[in-house]
Structures are given as structure tokens and as C-alpha cells.
Amino acid sequence: MKIDFLVKNCSELITLFGDSPKRGEDMNDLKIIKNGYIGSSGGRISFIGTEDMLKDYEVEENAKIIDAEGKVCMPGLVDSHTHLPFGGNRAEEFKMKLDGVPYMELQKRGMGIKSTVKATREISLKELISISQNRLDESVKGGATTIEAKSGYGLDLETEIKQLEAIRVLNEIHPVDIIPTYLGGHDVPPDTKKDDYLNKLINEYIPEIAKKGLAKYFDAFIEEGVYGKEETRLMLKAAKENGFELKLHADEFTNLGGAELAVEFGARSAEHLVRISEKGIEALSQSDTAAVILPGVFFFLREDKKPPIREMIEKGVIVSLGSDYNPGSSHINNMLFIAKLAVFLENFSMEEAITAATINSAYAIGMDKEVGSLMPGKKMDILIFDTPSYIDIFYEPSKNFLRYVIKEGEIILDGCKLTY
Ligand code: NIG
Ligand code: FE
């Protein structure tokens, strides 16, 4: 077996070995190889182990070699929930929120999602690609090598296609892998009757976007004042019939049985879950639907209610992490920061946060066979930190230890510099 890229002597090679998500106590087992070596060929991992095992492999003469002595190495992080391509900025609304106006109250006053819908409808495709490209660069600096990205700020066919088209182009021109989601059920468009929109969505938009093949997942927001359970059910049914896999913004500000609905439809994930019920936890724990936890929202909106993380993990729910990067409730797209918020604010252990942000997040976007852990055949997507133990990353949370980001066997971040 040949090796054209080799990282040798990692103080801790965090492998998370395996290509399926981890539940319960297994989330604490990072499967670390001390003084580990990892090599790849053509961007795929071809070797993982210790120095003595390397003798059966051929390291090519001009192979790129990194000596990671005294450095931790782990899989590239996966951001399983972002609203990457949007227009405009909601800084003024942010100030209002800090001055005491609740997030859902702003939505009621016609700000919130609706104001980003307006700005996203106005922006050109070219401009949308360009600003989203800069955002992706920031994701890389935060350790992400694969992300999910949602539309949902157009709510008309033309703009939703523009957002999904931006994601398609970015997937071609940017090293980060992006999994596209059509968030057609994000809100009711401005100046539109809900029933009229639902009709259009189900009979026109969902079939048309499915036909274009621009998104893998369909997503909706089940929430008081947005879509109720029966309305959400109609959308999910139509999306499923048109070949989409499903995701759901569920149990965020109120509990409308979102987690249970996601399980009923065999959704890949239920996201937010701050107000998930006992029944919802039970349903998730018995299913293959992942919970996507978004600590950035708790932090950014100064929430006081946390999702019941301990209970979810103890009951065996597949728990993953995302940034929820968006202009209203989490203007954060740094996954290392998110993993730290998970530990400091939401009761994850350090090991659970790493597992949730790698293999479990990969599962939440259907990429667990490709990324999220280090094993032969998977993409050579790795992070190398300038410190000997992963504990230091949390022990000194304000310090940036990230030294290299490697995507498919190419260095894309070297120190603070992007190299693509
Ligand atoms: O995931 N919850 C609904 N949607 C986004 C926020 C969107 C916005 O405020 O623009 C979320 O938090
Ligand atoms: Fe979201």
C-alpha cells in the first residue's frame, strides 16, 4: 500500500475508529493511539497505527511528511447544522435582543427570519457565493472540514434555488464538503397566507427542487407561531414522497412533539431540542434519528434553558453538535468554539463533545461512512493541534491551538493562514 501524505508521531491520535455513530458510554471512548502514525494515498486514509506497523507500507519518495511530535491529531470537525448562504445583517436586531426584546417577539414584529428573507431575495447569486465563501473560510479556521448548509431564507422558488445553487457552486470551488438541505418550511413568507404557501410548497416547490437534485435533505421549523404538527406532517410527507431525506427544527422554544414527529418519519435528525419531552427522548433513544444540539443558540440568545443532555446521552440518543450559524440566533461558525460551549455550558464531557462534533455529526448529515473518524478508506480530513493532549484544548479555552487543517490529504490551514 502506498502513502503520499504521512503524519508521524502524533502524541495522541484520536481515531474514534468505526464508521457508525456512538451512543451512551461509548461517546467517551475516543480510541486514541499514542505516538500514532496516519498516512493517506490520493486523499484517502491508507494507513493508521504505530511506527512498527509502517514497514508493510511504501512511503513515496516525494510524500509530504508532517512530524507531529508533541501534537494531538483528530478527525476534521463536522458542522451538522448551518444556515450558510444568506444576505444582509441583523446587528440592530441583535442590539434590541440584548436590550431585552425576546427572539420570538422580534419574529412577530416582522423582523427575524423575515428580514433575512428580504435581504436574501435582493442579493445576487454572485454576491451570495462570495460572502458565503468567506464564511466557509472562517469555518475552516474553526476546524470544520465538512458542513451541512440550509436554504430557507428565500421561501419562494427562485430564491431557494439561488441559495441551493450557491451551495452547489461552493462545493465545487471550496475544499470544505457541503451537504445541502432545502429548508422550505423555515417560516411563512412575508405577505402570504400560510395555506397558500403550504399548497405551493407541496405541489410546486418540493417537486421542482427534488427534480433539480439540488438538496439531499428537506427541513422545517415546527414551532408555535410558525408551523404546527399537522402542517409540518404535510410538508414532511410530501418531501419524503419526492425522495428527500428529512431533518426537523424541533422543540426549540416550545414543545409541539417535534422529536416524536421526526422519529415517526424516520428523519435523519431532530435539531435544537431544548424543550424535548421525556417521550421525545424515549422516541429518539429507540430510533436512528440523531439529536443535533446547538449550544451557540444558548450562548448567543442568552437563553436560560438548556437541552437535557445528560438524560439524552444516558438513554442512548445519538447526540451530535452543530453551530446553527445564522444571522439571528447564532452568528457563530467556529466548531471548536461550539465544542467548548458544549462542555462549559451544556454538560458534555470533553470526550462526548469531540465525539458529537465528529463521527456523530457526520452521521447526522449522512456522511459517517466518509468522514468523522480516522480509519482506512475514509477521507484524510484531520486537525493537528500544537499541544500534546486534547484536554489542553478545553483547559485553556481561549487559546487557539489549531496548527494544521488537512482536507483530503492537502494542507488547507497552516498556522493562521489558509493555503488554498
Ligand atoms: O435554527 N429556528 C429557526 N431558525 C434558525 C434561526 C433563523 C434566524 O433567526 O434567522 C435557527 O435558530
Ligand atoms: Fe437552524
Side-chain angles (χ1 to χ4, degrees):
M1 242 336 197
K2 289 197 170 174
I3 290 175
D4 61 26
F5 190 104
L6 179 70
V7 182
K8 59 181 204 178
N9 210 19
C10 309
S11 55
E12 292 175 348
L13 181 58
I14 296 176
T15 71
L16 289 142
F17 207 85
D19 62 358
S20 44
K22 301 189 192 296
R23 303 181 190 243
E25 202 30 60
D26 284 352
M27 287 183 73
N28 278 310
D29 183 2
L30 299 177
K31 301 207 182 297
I32 296 175
I33 303 174
K34 295 262 178 184
N35 300 320
Y37 281 57
I38 180 164
S40 64
S41 176
R44 296 268 168 181
I45 297 169
S46 51
F47 167 77
I48 184 157
T50 46
E51 187 177 13
D52 51 313
M53 293 155 72
L54 193 60
K55 59 182 181 318
D56 301 330
Y57 293 77
E58 183 193 333
V59 181
E60 285 177 12
E61 212 176 303
N62 52 0
K64 170 87 188 155
I65 298 178
I66 293 179
D67 187 348
E69 195 188 338
K71 293 182 171 58
V72 186
C73 185
M74 69 170 75
L77 302 183
V78 178
D79 189 345
S80 57
H81 181 140
T82 85
H83 300 255
L84 182 79
F86 60 83
N89 166 300
R90 293 189 355 229
E92 271 176 38
E93 184 187 305
F94 171 67
K95 180 175 159 42
M96 289 171 76
K97 270 192 305 243
L98 293 188
D99 291 344
V101 188
Y103 175 75
M104 285 311 276
E105 175 59 30
L106 290 164
Q107 308 274 17
K108 279 188 206 138
R109 294 189 199 170
M111 287 176 260
I113 294 174
K114 288 186 176 59
S115 85
T116 302
V117 167
K118 186 167 180 290
T120 307
R121 286 179 179 179
E122 282 164 6
I123 199 171
S124 71
L125 173 63
K126 200 164 159 227
E127 182 65 9
L128 189 60
I129 291 170
S130 157
I131 55 175
S132 304
Q133 191 169 9
N134 292 337
R135 293 170 186 158
L136 271 179
D137 291 345
E138 288 306 309
S139 295
V140 171
K141 292 180 192 163
T145 46
T146 303
I147 72 163
E148 181 255 18
K150 302 176 195 290
S151 63
Y153 285 121
L155 305 175
D156 58 18
L157 192 58
E158 189 190 337
T159 315
E160 291 291 320
I161 290 176
K162 180 170 70 186
Q163 286 190 278
L164 292 167
E165 184 60 20
I167 294 170
R168 192 191 63 75
V169 172
L170 287 164
N171 234 337
E172 278 177 11
I173 63 175
H174 198 280
V176 167
D177 285 318
I178 316 173
I179 305 301
T181 296
Y182 171 36
L183 177 49
H186 200 191
D187 201 355
V188 181
D191 309 318
T192 312
K193 286 207 190 86
K194 200 197 267 187
D195 278 351
D196 293 346
Y197 180 66
L198 276 175
N199 252 327
K200 273 213 167 113
L201 182 77
I202 288 167
N203 298 312
E204 264 181 60
Y205 298 178
I206 287 177
E208 184 62 24
I209 290 182
K211 204 168 78 199
K212 285 192 178 307
L214 281 169
K216 175 172 182 186
Y217 294 101
F218 176 83
D219 192 352
F221 187 19
I222 174 172
E223 183 62 55
E224 219 171 87
V226 190
Y227 291 107
K229 198 163 186 177
E230 287 319 307
E231 292 155 348
T232 307
R233 190 175 260 131
L234 290 176
M235 293 188 257
L236 296 184
K237 185 167 170 287
K240 200 168 183 173
E241 282 167 5
N242 279 274
F244 286 103
E245 290 189 52
L246 304 175
K247 292 180 159 283
L248 191 59
H249 281 66
D251 305 334
E252 182 178 2
F253 298 101
T254 50
N255 184 301
L256 299 182
E260 295 90 315
L261 191 65
V263 171
E264 179 187 320
F265 275 88
R268 176 54 73 149
S269 60
E271 331 214 326
H272 285 286
L273 303 174
V274 177
R275 287 171 177 83
I276 188 172
S277 66
E278 289 290 333
K279 265 169 81 184
I281 297 176
E282 194 56 38
L284 283 182
S285 70
Q286 300 302 315
S287 77
D288 293 329
T289 300
V292 175
I293 302 301
L294 307 163
V297 180
F298 177 83
F299 171 80
F300 194 79
L301 292 184
R302 292 177 167 173
E303 289 283 301
D304 45 24
K305 179 117 179 73
K306 303 174 184 190
I309 296 304
R310 297 301 344 137
E311 228 181 313
M312 282 195 252
I313 292 181
E314 274 151 31
K315 289 243 163 86
V317 174
I318 300 167
V319 172
S320 65
L321 281 168
S323 67
D324 197 10
Y325 177 68
N326 77 76
S329 67
S330 175
H331 208 195
I332 300 165
N333 62 348
N334 182 311
M335 275 303 288
L336 277 167
F337 183 62
I338 294 292
K340 291 171 192 175
L341 293 181
V343 168
F344 284 96
L345 301 179
E346 295 203 330
N347 304 323
F348 284 71
S349 70
M350 294 179 281
E351 297 78 12
E352 286 164 352
I354 292 172
T355 302
T358 53
I359 186 64
N360 284 13
S361 277
Y363 173 81
I365 60 172
M367 287 291 281
D368 49 320
K369 304 288 176 255
E370 289 283 308
V371 299
S373 64
L374 304 180
M375 59 189 291
K378 279 197 164 183
K379 291 192 182 192
M380 179 70 158
D381 290 1
I382 58 173
L383 310 181
I384 302 176
F385 294 88
D386 234 333
T387 194
S389 169
Y390 72 87
I391 296 174
D392 301 333
I393 298 167
F394 299 92
Y395 179 51
E396 230 177 313
S398 64
K399 187 161 171 176
N400 179 15
F401 287 107
L402 189 57
R403 177 68 180 86
Y404 292 106
V405 176
I406 291 149
K407 178 72 186 163
E408 289 176 54
E410 302 278 344
I411 295 172
I412 61 170
L413 183 88
D414 185 346
C416 292
K417 264 185 60 195
L418 296 165
T419 53
Y420 46 86

